[in-house]
Amino acid sequence: MAAQIAIDPISSRIAQIADAPAAVALINAAYRGASSMVGWTTEARLLEGRRIDEAGLLDLMTAPDSVILLWLKGHDPIGTVHLQKCGNDLAALGIFVVRPDMQGQGLGRRFMREAEAMAQRLWGVTRMALTVIGLRRELIAFYQRRGYALTGERRPFPFEDGLSTALVEGIDLAVMEKPLPPTPRSPSPRA
C-alpha cells in the first residue's frame, strides 16, 4: 500500500488587522526584497525602499469599500491582493503578490480570478482596473494575457509616500482595465 502524502491546501480570506505584519513582510519581499529577484513582481531594479509599511496597509484594510485578500498555504501567507471599489461598476486591483518562490505555478492566474470574482460578489462591479509601472513590459504583457488592456492613461508614481526611491528615470504608472464576465444568475423560479 502506497504512503499518502499530506498536501498543504491553499485557502483565501479577507485579511484581518492581526495579519498586517506578515502581509507587509510578504509584500515587501515580493516587490523589493532580495528574494523578489527570482519572481516577476520584483521592482528591485527600478526602485529601492519599501513597497508598503504597516500603517499604509492598515489604512487600506480599514478604508470603506476596500479589502485585502490573503492567500495562505497552511498558516503561511503566500499571496495578497488589494481590492478597492472605485465607482458603481469599477473596482481596482493592486498590491498583487505571489510569494516569489511559488511563482510560475499558475497561482497568480488563480489569485487574480478569485480576486475579480470577490469584487463582483462584494460590489457588483463589471470592470476591473489596475496600475502597473509603465517600464514593466513583461508585467503589462502578463495582464494583457489575462484580458486587461492599456487605457492610454498614465499616472505619476506615488513617491510622496516616502517609502520608495527611484533607481532609474521615467517611472510612472500605466492604467489597465478589463471588462468582467457577467456573474451567473440564479435560475428564476417557474410560475
Side-chain angles (χ1 to χ4, degrees):
M1 177 177 223
Q4 291 191 356
I5 298 172
I7 297 175
D8 221 355
I10 294 174
S11 61
S12 66
R13 62 178 168 77
I14 294 176
Q16 305 299 311
I17 300 299
D19 297 318
V24 166
L26 172 64
I27 293 163
N28 285 321
Y31 279 108
R32 310 273 172 81
S35 65
S36 75
M37 299 304 271
V38 300
W40 57 264
T41 52
T42 188
E43 298 170 346
R45 291 180 186 92
L46 303 173
L47 298 156
E48 64 182 0
R50 293 176 292 164
R51 174 65 168 77
I52 196 163
D53 60 13
E54 197 168 321
L57 189 67
L58 290 171
D59 286 347
L60 294 175
M61 292 172 77
T62 58
D65 292 326
S66 176
V67 296
I68 301 289
L69 296 180
L70 185 64
W71 282 268
L72 303 149
K73 184 169 184 181
H75 297 290
D76 298 325
I78 62 165
T80 66
V81 170
H82 172 235
L83 296 173
Q84 176 76 51
K85 184 178 180 189
C86 299
N88 290 337
D89 70 337
L90 179 68
L93 181 149
I95 311 179
F96 177 34
V97 170
V98 176
R99 197 171 79 190
D101 66 336
M102 297 185 78
Q103 293 177 12
Q105 300 176 30
L107 294 174
R109 289 185 298 275
R110 172 184 165 183
F111 295 174
M112 184 174 278
R113 281 191 310 270
E114 290 177 15
E116 292 166 350
M118 173 67 82
Q120 285 183 297
R121 285 193 304 275
L122 287 174
W123 304 304
V125 297
T126 59
R127 298 177 301 135
M128 289 295 294
L130 57 82
T131 58
V132 61
I133 293 175
L135 298 173
R136 299 286 318 275
R137 303 279 181 233
E138 73 287 354
L139 196 51
I140 290 170
F142 171 84
Y143 290 125
Q144 288 172 324
R145 290 190 302 273
R146 306 290 153 318
Y148 287 82
L150 290 165
T151 66
E153 181 184 353
R154 300 295 270 232
R155 297 180 185 163
F157 191 88
F159 289 110
E160 68 276 359
D161 64 11
L163 297 175
S164 301
T165 305
L167 297 174
V168 299
E169 292 193 26
I171 295 179
D172 67 354
L173 298 173
V175 178
M176 301 183 80
E177 197 172 294
K178 171 184 179 175
L180 296 175
T183 56
R185 295 181 179 210
S186 302
S188 58
R190 295 184 180 194

